[in-house]
Amino acid sequence: MAQAATEAAQTARATIGDSEFDRDTAVTLREHGVYDAELSAGWTIIHAVNGGYLLALLGRALGEALPHPDPFSVSAHYLTASVPGPAVVRTEIVRTGRTLSTGQASLFQYAADGSEIERIRVLATYGDLDALPDDVRTTALPPAMPARDQCLGPSDGPAPIPGSSAITERLDIKLDPATVGWAIGAPSGKGEMRGWFGLADGRDPDPLSLLLTVDALPPTSFELGLTGWTPTVELTAHVRCRPAPGPLRVAITTRNLAGGFLEEDAEVWDSADRLVAQSRQLAKAPRDA
Amino acid sequence: MAQAATEAAQTARATIGDSEFDRDTAVTLREHGVYDAELSAGWTIIHAVNGGYLLALLGRALGEALPHPDPFSVSAHYLTASVPGPAVVRTEIVRTGRTLSTGQASLFQYAADGSEIERIRVLATYGDLDALPDDVRTTALPPAMPARDQCLGPSDGPAPIPGSSAITERLDIKLDPATVGWAIGAPSGKGEMRGWFGLADGRDPDPLSLLLTVDALPPTSFELGLTGWTPTVELTAHVRCRPAPGPLRVAITTRNLAGGFLEEDAEVWDSADRLVAQSRQLAKAPRDA
């Protein structure tokens, strides 16, 4: 499926502003600071709406509300599970400065009686990535993983993402074979997940889509031999650089599974070997932990 | 100074609930969800109030407002620089659940005309650390550093923390000699800072004091040869376990200094070799970066 999508993308690539991701994260101004949205069923895993997609939608609303264009640091606390359908994002400008501005956003959906149920609350600081100096002094190295054509996607035998997942048709993920043991019942026991990431319609990455990328791979808990759900409690993403066009590499690491919780640290690298995003989430470990 | 304080502590140790830290993070209920506080000059570095101390004070107010006692995940966006003196914390309960509850808190101070200026806004999810299962499956190892008596404090020659810093009298920090090169003009060039952490009056660690601990060591930028100020933009701390009594070990790492920003990842380990807290902050690099 992703394979076919990739080939389609190679013939007619979607562009930033005109892609499945852009259409499905669209927000419509209802009144000052309030945006209507439709959570697309196209970004669900089993029945859950992907948390990274929701983060990107919130980030898009904040980008419209704040004077600065790019998310530098986005902190999200996940309150209740979102479902496909209507939603509203209520934003507040907390502070505006010369180089940085900070805002808050909440995603709500509607109960049967029409009352609003809060799904996610976010604090975020925005800036202008293009205004940053070019200095880079990093000791971080891109994750070691095989070439993209040596990695495994849904079309390569056992589905790396179990169950029927609409999101697998919108993503073009190829996992490092060293981190797909779980898909054939042989998890490595290491808290690692690595892979190549793209959008299936060929849309290039930008700071907003990075908010999806940091939470789009299978959970490291699968490689720890845990098969259950790992709901995110909190996720903070830092966008460090505007990503270059082309495929991204994502490496996720869990070092501490304890007390029924685990952290997932994600790094995203672009085709120019720049570390473009870092994230950490605290998640509940599956029951069988 | 810290040395003297340590000896004093050994004769009469402060206890949780009756210590400099507890007195200086005290909040007084003004009305439902609103707490008055006094930012102590005792926790300043040069003229800035330490960000970890402020985080602990906010965490304490949220602990009083929320039904669960312990901070599990605290995300703070730093808006304006706090100064010693009166402050008010306004809290909001976002969601209460069976095992977790989420709240928001803002720290305000007063302008000359009496109007409120927001300093920090926080989203936090609380739970009960004592209710967590004992399972630990971690690949994380305590930081390698010399024994405490082989590490260096303010009394050991060049002040590891430059300038006159009241906070050094309240903390009992002994830095790994491998990360104090900056103090004698010979920074290692590595983005690493490690040390033993305690409160000078001997008060043992608890989940609240861990919020101070994650932001109490000198910045890694000093070992990168940068001497300027590194203001925190965002800091998220996860408390993973109730700390055992006794000294803590703190290891802070910066891997990516780019575009005028850097991340600082902190790990805190207790005397029982448990990873008790993890944090990451995004900070502005000093001008001379």
Side-chain angles (χ1 to χ4, degrees):
Chain A
M1 195 57 86
Q3 185 60 36
T6 310
E7 287 158 3
Q10 279 153 0
T11 57
R13 294 171 63 86
T15 57
I16 292 174
D18 179 21
S19 71
E20 290 176 322
F21 174 79
D22 297 296
R23 285 187 287 278
D24 291 345
T25 55
V27 295
T28 306
L29 183 65
R30 178 199 296 183
E31 61 193 58
H32 180 71
V34 182
Y35 302 85
D36 288 301
E38 181 76 19
L39 305 188
S40 165
W43 301 89
T44 50
I45 297 177
I46 317 301
H47 299 300
V49 182
N50 173 264
Y53 158 70
L54 296 170
L55 196 64
L57 191 151
L58 281 156
R60 185 156 169 186
L62 276 168
E64 301 209 0
L66 291 168
H68 293 93
D70 302 315
F72 276 28
S73 177
V74 181
S75 311
H77 287 246
Y78 290 75
L79 308 171
T80 57
S82 300
V83 295
V88 58
V89 179
R90 299 185 177 278
T91 66
E92 174 196 351
I93 295 178
V94 176
R95 174 180 178 270
T96 60
R98 187 176 53 81
T99 60
L100 297 174
S101 56
T102 299
Q104 174 173 318
S106 291
L107 178 74
F108 296 90
Q109 290 193 287
Y110 304 98
D113 65 2
S115 62
E116 293 185 353
I117 305 168
E118 190 167 4
R119 300 303 193 195
I120 306 173
R121 188 172 296 201
V122 164
L123 281 175
T125 296
Y126 276 54
D128 181 355
L129 288 169
D130 298 330
L132 299 183
D134 291 333
D135 65 293
V136 179
R137 290 174 52 183
T138 184
T139 58
L141 296 173
M145 68 175 81
R148 192 175 167 288
D149 61 10
Q150 299 304 311
C151 292
L152 302 174
S155 59
D156 305 305
I161 296 167
S164 158
S165 302
I167 194 171
T168 60
E169 303 182 18
R170 283 177 166 64
L171 302 180
D172 179 18
I173 291 176
K174 299 281 192 178
L175 295 174
D176 182 339
T179 65
V180 295
W182 57 271
I184 54 170
S188 69
K190 298 179 189 171
E192 299 178 4
M193 193 65 60
R194 287 183 299 274
W196 293 83
F197 177 95
L199 289 165
D201 61 11
R203 191 256 202 204
D204 277 318
D206 71 349
L208 269 187
S209 70
L210 290 176
L211 300 180
L212 162 67
T213 304
V214 296
D215 196 29
L217 266 57
T220 54
S221 52
F222 286 1
E223 276 297 89
L224 291 170
L226 309 176
T227 54
W229 194 249
T230 56
T232 301
V233 174
E234 190 272 351
L235 188 155
T236 293
H238 301 312
V239 175
R240 305 297 304 274
C241 177
R242 185 175 303 284
L248 299 167
R249 285 156 293 173
V250 183
I252 306 178
T253 307
T254 295
R255 299 171 65 233
N256 192 56
L257 166 61
F261 290 84
L262 60 105
E263 92 284 356
E264 283 196 312
D265 284 2
E267 281 189 2
V268 184
W269 293 75
D270 71 3
S271 61
D273 280 351
R274 280 290 299 270
L275 177 56
V276 291
Q278 294 166 295
S279 75
R280 173 176 291 158
Q281 69 171 277
L282 183 69
K284 277 190 190 175
R287 279 277 155 62
D288 54 356
Chain B
M1 197 57 86
Q3 186 59 35
T6 310
E7 287 158 4
Q10 281 154 358
T11 58
R13 294 172 63 87
T15 56
I16 292 174
D18 179 21
S19 72
E20 291 176 322
F21 173 79
D22 297 296
R23 285 187 287 278
D24 291 345
T25 56
V27 295
T28 306
L29 183 66
R30 178 198 296 183
E31 61 194 58
H32 180 71
V34 182
Y35 302 85
D36 288 301
E38 181 77 18
L39 305 187
S40 165
W43 301 89
T44 50
I45 298 177
I46 316 301
H47 300 300
V49 182
N50 173 265
Y53 159 70
L54 297 170
L55 196 63
L57 190 150
L58 281 156
R60 185 156 169 186
L62 277 168
E64 301 209 1
L66 291 168
H68 293 93
D70 302 315
F72 276 27
S73 178
V74 181
S75 310
H77 287 246
Y78 290 75
L79 307 170
T80 58
S82 300
V83 295
V88 58
V89 179
R90 299 184 178 279
T91 66
E92 173 196 351
I93 295 178
V94 176
R95 174 181 179 268
T96 59
R98 185 175 53 82
T99 61
L100 297 175
S101 56
T102 299
Q104 175 173 318
S106 290
L107 178 73
F108 295 90
Q109 290 193 286
Y110 304 98
D113 65 2
S115 63
E116 293 185 352
I117 306 167
E118 190 166 2
R119 300 303 193 195
I120 306 173
R121 189 172 295 202
V122 164
L123 281 175
T125 296
Y126 276 54
D128 181 355
L129 288 169
D130 298 329
L132 299 183
D134 291 333
D135 65 293
V136 179
R137 288 174 53 182
T138 184
T139 57
L141 297 172
M145 68 176 79
R148 193 176 167 287
D149 61 10
Q150 301 304 311
C151 292
L152 303 175
S155 59
D156 306 306
I161 296 167
S164 157
S165 301
I167 194 171
T168 59
E169 303 182 19
R170 283 179 166 64
L171 302 180
D172 180 18
I173 291 176
K174 299 281 192 179
L175 294 175
D176 182 338
T179 65
V180 295
W182 57 272
I184 54 171
S188 69
K190 298 179 189 169
E192 299 177 3
M193 193 64 61
R194 286 184 300 273
W196 294 83
F197 177 95
L199 290 165
D201 62 10
R203 190 256 204 205
D204 278 318
D206 71 349
L208 270 188
S209 69
L210 291 176
L211 300 180
L212 162 67
T213 304
V214 296
D215 196 28
L217 266 57
T220 53
S221 52
F222 286 0
E223 276 296 89
L224 291 170
L226 308 176
T227 54
W229 194 248
T230 55
T232 301
V233 174
E234 190 273 351
L235 188 155
T236 293
H238 300 313
V239 175
R240 304 297 304 274
C241 176
R242 184 175 304 283
L248 300 167
R249 284 156 293 173
V250 183
I252 307 178
T253 308
T254 295
R255 300 172 63 234
N256 192 56
L257 166 60
F261 290 83
L262 60 102
E263 91 285 356
E264 283 196 314
D265 285 1
E267 280 189 2
V268 183
W269 293 76
D270 72 4
S271 61
D273 279 352
R274 282 289 299 270
L275 177 55
V276 292
Q278 295 168 295
S279 74
R280 173 176 291 160
Q281 69 172 276
L282 183 69
K284 278 189 190 175
R287 280 275 154 64
D288 52 356

